[in-house]
Amino acid sequence: MDQTSNTEDFIRQLAEHQNRLYGYVYSLVGDHSRAADVVQETNLVLWRKIEEFQSDKPFLPWAFAIARFQVLAHLRDRKRERMLLDASLVETLSAEAEEQASQIDSVREALRLCLQRLEPDHRELIERRYFRSMSVADVAEALNRTVGAVKVALLRVRRQLAGCVQKRLAAES
Amino acid sequence: MNTDRIEELESLLLAWEDGTLDEEGIELLRAILRTDEKARTHFLQMQMLTAAMQLEGDAGLSLPPVDALRSDAGPQATSNARSRDRARRAYRLAAIVAGLLVCVLGGRLAWLEFGADPVTPKEAVATSDGLPTVSEEEPTARGIALVTKLVDVEWADQPGPVEVGDALTPGTFAIRSGFAQIEFFCGATVILEGPAEINLESPMLATVLSGRLRAHVPPAARGFSLDVGDMKVVDLGTEFGLSVSPEGADVQVFDGEVEVQNRSDERRRVTAGRGLVRKPGGELEETAATAENFVDFADLEARAQNQQNSRYARWQDWSESIRSDPRLIACYMFDEPESRRRVLESSLLPTNSELDGAIVGARRVEGRWDQKGALEFKRPGDQVRVQIPGEYGSLTFACWARIDSLDRWYNSLFLTDGYEEGEPHWQIRESGEMHFSVRAHERKTNKPPHRVIHSQPFWEPSMSGRWIHLATVFDIETGRVSHYLNGRVLDRNTIPENLLPESTRIGTASIGNWSVPTKPDASFAIRNLNGRIDEFLLFAAALTDDEIRDIYEHGKP
C-alpha cells in the first residue's frame, strides 16, 4: 500500500473512532474538557506513530492502548488537581471501559430513543444538566426547586435512562 | 448487586460531575470501585451514558426545549439535525487534521493541502452517522398533490424520477412522453399526456406551460383552476380538456362548465360540448369540443392495466431464470396459486420441498400486481418459519416489501432464531434505518458480539403502503456491508476484521419476525413486521451493485 492511501486510511479510521476514544477517556477521567484534551493528545501520538499503523490490522485496540497511556500520563502530570480515579483503578477498569466504549454509537442511539420516552419535565432536567451543562444549583434555581430535590430527581432520571439504554443494548445483541 | 452501594456510587458520581465532591467523597467512591466488580461495571455504564449525552449535546442534537417547541419539526427537522451532525463531523475531522498539521512538517500531508479532498464527510463518518432524532412533534408531510398513475412515462429533466404514491410539492412537473395522473389535495384529478410541463402552485391551482391534459373536478373541488399564460381556466365542477402549444391554447368542456378569464378581465363561460381557442394574438374563438383528442380516465385505466400485465409477465420470465441461480440458498416468490395450505413454497430450482416455509398467522394477500400473491404480517406472532441448512461465507438478502409502519424497536425482515456465532440478523429499526449484523464470537466469550452496520434512515411515513425493494450485501472477505433501496446504494460500511465471523449459517429462522427458542410460556421480543412481503431471495454470495439493480429493475411494479 502506498503512503498516501495509508495516510488517508489512517485519518479515516481516526475520525471514525473519535467517539469511541472519547467515551473511553471520559469514563476514566470523568471530565468533559479534560477528556477532550486527552483525546486530542492521543490523536497526536497516534499520528506520530503512523509507521506502526497497518490498515489491515484493527485500529481500535491500538488506539485504546495509546489512549490508556495518555490517561495515565494525564494523571501523573496533574498530581495537584483533583482526579476521579487513581492509576491503579484506571488499569483495573481499562479493559471493560474499552469494551463498553466500542459500543458508544449504540449507546447514543439507544439514548436518543430512551430520551423520547421520558416525562417532559424529566427530559428538561437532563437537557439542562447535560446538554446545556448547567450545574445542579443552576438547574434548581431555574426550576425554582431545592438543590436536594433536583439531585434526587436527577438520580432517578439517570437511573431510568441507564436502565432503558441497557435494555436496548441487550435487545440489540 | 448491593443496591445501597450502587446508590451511594451514583450520588457520589453526580456530585463529582457537579464539582462538589470533596477528597473524602472521592476516596469513598474509589473504595467502592476497588472492592465491587458489579459496581465497576455499573460505574462504566453510567460514565458511557454521560459521555454519550455530552456527544449528543456537542452534536447539537438536543431535543427541542420542552418549553419552546419549534413549529418546523418533522422530517425537515430530522434532516436538519442530520446535516448539522454531518457538518459537525466534517468540522471535527477538519479539526483533527488541522490539529495534526500543526505538529507535522513536510510533504507527508501534501495531498491534504493540494490534492482533492480525499475524505468526504460521508465516508469519514462512523456508523452512527445521521441517526435521526425522533421528533417530539406530530410528524408532518409536505405536498399539494399525489401521483396516482404513471403509464409508459419518460421523464423530462427534473430531479429524480417520481413514483406512484409520491406527494408533489409546489414546483415543476414535466414528462417527455407517456401519461401521469395527478390528484390534487382539493379533490381534482388531472391526466397529463406527454410531452407536457406544468407548474404546481397550490392544492387548487397549477400553471400549464405546455402539453395536453384532461381534468376531472368533482363538486367538492369546485374552483380548481389552471393558468395558461395570462388566461385562467376556472372549473365550475366538471370534466374538461386543455391543450397548450406555441400556437395557442385550446379549452374543451366535456361535462358541466368552466369559466375562462383573459388578460382584459373578460370572462367567458364554456358549456359542455363547446370549446374555446386562444390564438397567439390573444383573441378567443369558440369551437366544438372533440373529446376523443384527450385521453380519458377509462382509457388510462386500460393502459395502466396493460402496463401492469406486461410488467408482471416480464417479472415472471425473469423469476423463472433467477430461480436456478446456483448462488441462491433460499428463494420464495410468493406466487403459487391461492391454496389453503399454510405453506410458503420454496421457488428454488431444482425443487426442494425441505426448504418450504411454514406460514404462521400471516394472511395471503395481493402482491405487487393484482395477479401476484404476497403475505401480510400484522400481529406479533405472524411469521414464516424456514429451515436453511449449511455453512456459507458472504450473503446477499433481497426482498420486495410493503411497509405499513415501523411499530417496533426492531422490525424484522429476516432473523435467525436466537443469535449465535455466524448468524445474521436483517431488520429495520423504528428510526427507519436498515440494520444488519452478524454475530462474530461465541456467546461465552466476553468479546463484543458484533459490529452493527446500519444505513441512513430511508423510511418515512409517506412511504407507507408502497412497494419498495430492499437489499443488503455482506462480503465476508472484506467485511464490507452495503445496503440498498430500490436498486440504489443507501450506504456502505465495513465490519472490522476482529468482528468478522469465520463463516455464516442460518439454520432455523423467520421471515417477518423473530422467534427465540425459549422455554414454554416464556415471553418473546416482539419484532414482527407491519406490512407485506412478496419476494424473498437469499444468496450465499456477495452480489454486485449491478446485480441488485437488475433484480429491482425486473421486479418493479
Side-chain angles (χ1 to χ4, degrees):
Chain A
M1 179 177 275
D2 67 71
Q3 200 173 321
T4 301
S5 62
N6 199 46
T7 308
E8 224 175 279
D9 205 37
F10 168 88
I11 299 263
R12 192 169 302 164
Q13 296 259 33
L14 187 63
E16 174 168 340
H17 293 302
Q18 286 298 292
N19 290 345
R20 298 186 182 93
L21 285 173
Y22 176 82
Y24 171 82
V25 173
Y26 177 85
S27 68
L28 300 173
V29 302
D31 177 272
H32 181 47
S33 62
R34 280 183 195 165
D37 288 350
V38 173
V39 170
Q40 193 59 282
E41 287 156 17
T42 305
N43 288 340
L44 284 177
V45 175
L46 288 167
W47 173 251
R48 291 192 193 111
K49 291 177 179 277
I50 193 165
E51 276 73 27
E52 294 175 22
F53 167 71
Q54 294 161 318
S55 57
D56 53 348
K57 286 250 172 61
F59 182 91
L60 205 52
W62 178 55
F64 276 145
I66 303 287
R68 182 166 55 94
F69 285 126
Q70 292 305 309
V71 169
L72 291 169
H74 179 85
L75 297 188
R76 213 177 37 239
D77 296 345
R78 310 214 184 177
K79 276 217 167 39
R80 288 157 192 245
E81 294 174 36
R82 229 171 245 180
M83 289 291 165
L84 180 63
L85 303 180
D86 56 23
S88 75
L89 270 173
V90 167
E91 298 280 11
T92 310
L93 287 162
S94 178
E96 195 175 350
E98 284 186 24
E99 196 180 314
Q100 287 196 30
S102 23
Q103 305 292 318
I104 194 138
D105 286 337
S106 304
V107 173
R108 281 182 77 180
E109 190 180 354
L111 170 69
R112 286 180 203 185
L113 294 163
C114 291
L115 279 169
Q116 307 299 324
R117 286 174 173 62
L118 288 180
E119 298 288 322
D121 52 338
H122 288 168
R123 212 179 64 228
E124 188 176 12
L125 275 183
I126 294 287
E127 279 272 321
R128 287 176 188 273
R129 175 65 196 83
Y130 291 99
F131 292 171
R132 302 190 220 164
S133 305
M134 292 166 72
S135 71
V136 171
D138 289 346
V139 175
E141 194 179 341
L143 300 178
N144 206 0
R145 296 164 70 178
T146 65
V147 169
V150 169
K151 271 192 185 156
V152 169
L154 263 175
L155 283 172
R156 194 176 307 134
V157 179
R158 283 220 307 183
R159 164 157 303 202
Q160 199 182 333
L161 265 184
C164 172
V165 167
Q166 289 308 320
K167 269 209 192 80
R168 280 185 175 266
L169 292 181
E172 191 178 83
S173 49
Chain B
M1 179 148 70
N2 182 336
T3 49
D4 286 354
R5 300 207 78 185
I6 293 295
E7 275 176 28
E8 188 173 23
L9 177 74
E10 285 181 353
S11 56
L12 289 167
L13 194 53
L14 188 70
W16 161 263
E17 285 170 16
D18 206 37
T20 55
L21 191 65
D22 57 12
E23 287 296 342
E24 200 180 338
I26 290 179
E27 203 30 63
L28 194 55
L29 184 145
R30 290 178 183 178
I32 294 174
L33 293 180
R34 277 193 206 102
T35 53
D36 189 335
E37 190 187 347
K38 287 222 165 62
R40 286 198 287 272
T41 298
H42 187 77
F43 166 83
L44 286 171
Q45 286 171 355
M46 295 306 283
Q47 292 289 81
M48 249 11 111
L49 185 67
T50 307
M53 290 197 278
Q54 303 275 17
L55 290 168
E56 290 294 285
D58 278 359
L61 286 179
S62 61
L63 306 162
V66 184
D67 50 358
L69 289 175
R70 292 202 320 276
S71 57
D72 65 344
Q76 207 61 36
T78 304
S79 68
N80 288 348
R82 263 213 302 283
S83 54
R84 235 192 351 256
D85 200 14
R86 209 164 273 174
R88 280 172 196 270
R89 281 168 182 285
Y91 166 77
R92 177 142 29 120
L93 178 69
I96 295 167
V97 173
L100 293 174
L101 270 170
V102 170
C103 65
V104 174
L105 297 167
R108 289 165 78 191
L109 274 181
W111 53 267
L112 265 179
E113 294 167 293
F114 307 116
D117 178 12
V119 186
T120 62
K122 181 77 196 90
E123 292 170 88
V125 297
T127 50
S128 69
D129 170 49
L131 295 175
T133 45
V134 184
S135 163
E136 273 301 284
E137 295 82 3
E138 189 167 5
T140 56
R142 300 173 53 205
I144 57 171
L146 287 176
V147 179
T148 49
K149 279 199 181 72
L150 293 171
V151 179
D152 304 328
V153 164
E154 266 193 79
W155 296 102
D157 304 330
Q158 63 177 21
V162 176
E163 293 183 25
V164 171
D166 275 350
L168 298 172
T169 49
T172 305
F173 183 93
I175 55 177
R176 197 165 286 149
S177 66
F179 301 89
Q181 181 174 308
I182 298 173
E183 293 179 8
F184 285 79
F185 285 178
C186 68
T189 304
V190 166
I191 301 177
L192 208 52
E193 186 177 342
E197 181 176 2
I198 64 173
N199 218 339
L200 302 159
E201 315 279 354
S202 79
M204 292 290 285
L205 175 69
T207 303
V208 184
L209 303 166
S210 68
R212 192 186 284 265
L213 64 83
R214 179 187 280 252
H216 173 72
V217 185
R222 216 164 273 164
F224 173 75
S225 54
L226 293 170
D227 280 355
V228 183
D230 49 14
M231 178 170 88
K232 188 186 266 296
V233 180
V234 182
D235 191 280
L236 304 173
T238 68
E239 196 161 310
F240 68 95
L242 173 64
S243 119
V244 179
S245 66
E247 285 71 60
D250 178 1
V251 184
Q252 307 200 354
V253 180
F254 313 128
D255 181 18
E257 62 178 339
V258 304
E259 184 178 81
V260 178
Q261 307 165 1
N262 72 356
R263 174 174 11 183
S264 51
D265 249 3
E266 183 190 353
R267 290 163 184 249
R268 300 269 285 268
R269 288 215 163 182
V270 187
T271 49
R274 305 299 302 159
L276 200 61
V277 177
R278 191 191 60 171
K279 298 286 198 247
E283 62 276 19
L284 298 173
E285 188 179 295
E286 289 213 23
T287 62
T290 45
E292 59 279 9
N293 290 347
F294 295 84
V295 65
D296 69 11
F297 291 86
D299 185 27
L300 185 69
E301 183 54 48
R303 285 171 192 257
Q305 196 58 51
N306 279 342
Q307 175 175 284
Q308 193 173 113
N309 292 346
S310 69
R311 285 200 179 167
Y312 175 62
R314 198 175 75 134
W315 172 82
Q316 279 186 306
D317 287 349
W318 169 85
S319 72
E320 282 307 313
S321 64
I322 193 101
R323 287 168 59 185
S324 42
D325 188 317
R327 299 170 299 174
L328 272 176
I329 52 174
C331 170
Y332 301 97
M333 291 300 183
F334 294 71
D335 206 25
E336 60 258 40
E338 185 62 47
S339 82
R340 297 198 165 280
R341 294 199 315 148
R342 301 295 284 153
V343 166
L344 178 64
E345 280 175 26
S346 163
S347 314
L348 258 188
L349 294 175
T351 311
N352 175 2
S353 61
E354 286 292 300
L355 292 172
D356 286 354
I359 301 171
V360 181
R363 283 191 321 133
R364 285 183 191 276
V365 289
E366 208 175 86
R368 271 169 289 167
W369 299 280
D370 303 350
Q371 309 89 317
K372 185 182 179 316
L375 282 176
E376 181 168 71
F377 303 83
K378 280 287 167 197
R379 292 154 303 194
D382 291 356
Q383 59 194 294
V384 178
R385 305 284 299 137
V386 297
Q387 153 74 17
I388 301 166
E391 197 167 338
Y392 307 100
S394 298
L395 295 172
T396 295
F397 295 85
C399 81
W400 277 97
R402 200 193 85 169
I403 298 166
D404 294 338
S405 73
L406 297 175
D407 302 334
R408 318 292 181 206
W409 285 5
Y410 297 94
N411 303 270
S412 160
L413 293 167
F414 185 87
L415 298 178
T416 57
D417 289 4
Y419 185 50
E420 300 303 329
E421 192 183 356
E423 294 182 353
H425 272 189
W426 191 41
Q427 51 202 332
I428 306 170
R429 298 178 164 223
E430 68 184 335
S431 50
E433 299 156 40
M434 237 166 350
H435 172 121
F436 174 83
S437 63
V438 54
R439 195 182 185 93
H441 302 295
E442 283 181 52
R443 221 169 252 285
K444 60 174 181 275
T445 63
N446 61 357
K447 295 178 185 157
H450 57 213
R451 169 69 54 83
V452 175
I453 302 290
H454 20 68
S455 70
Q456 55 183 300
F458 69 91
W459 198 84
E460 46 186 38
S462 67
M463 294 163 80
S464 179
R466 200 186 307 173
W467 285 101
I468 53 177
H469 189 256
L470 300 172
T472 294
V473 174
F474 166 55
D475 184 337
I476 203 168
E477 302 304 325
T478 58
R480 167 158 287 200
V481 175
S482 311
H483 291 296
Y484 302 80
L485 170 68
N486 291 338
R488 292 163 194 273
V489 178
L490 272 175
D491 265 312
R492 294 190 208 276
N493 248 308
T494 305
I495 298 177
E497 197 182 353
N498 59 332
L499 290 173
L500 277 178
E502 297 288 315
S503 63
T504 56
R505 52 209 164 87
I506 310 292
T508 49
S510 288
I511 297 175
N513 212 324
W514 193 28
S515 276
V516 190
T518 46
K519 302 182 221 40
D521 79 14
S523 60
F524 58 93
I526 299 179
R527 293 197 179 179
N528 67 294
L529 187 72
N530 176 3
R532 300 177 175 191
I533 293 181
D534 84 344
E535 178 182 307
F536 182 91
L537 307 176
L538 173 51
F539 298 84
L543 268 61
T544 62
D545 290 357
D546 287 347
E547 287 177 305
I548 299 291
R549 182 140 194 88
D550 194 56
I551 295 175
Y552 164 73
E553 289 295 344
H554 283 97
K556 63 181 182 199

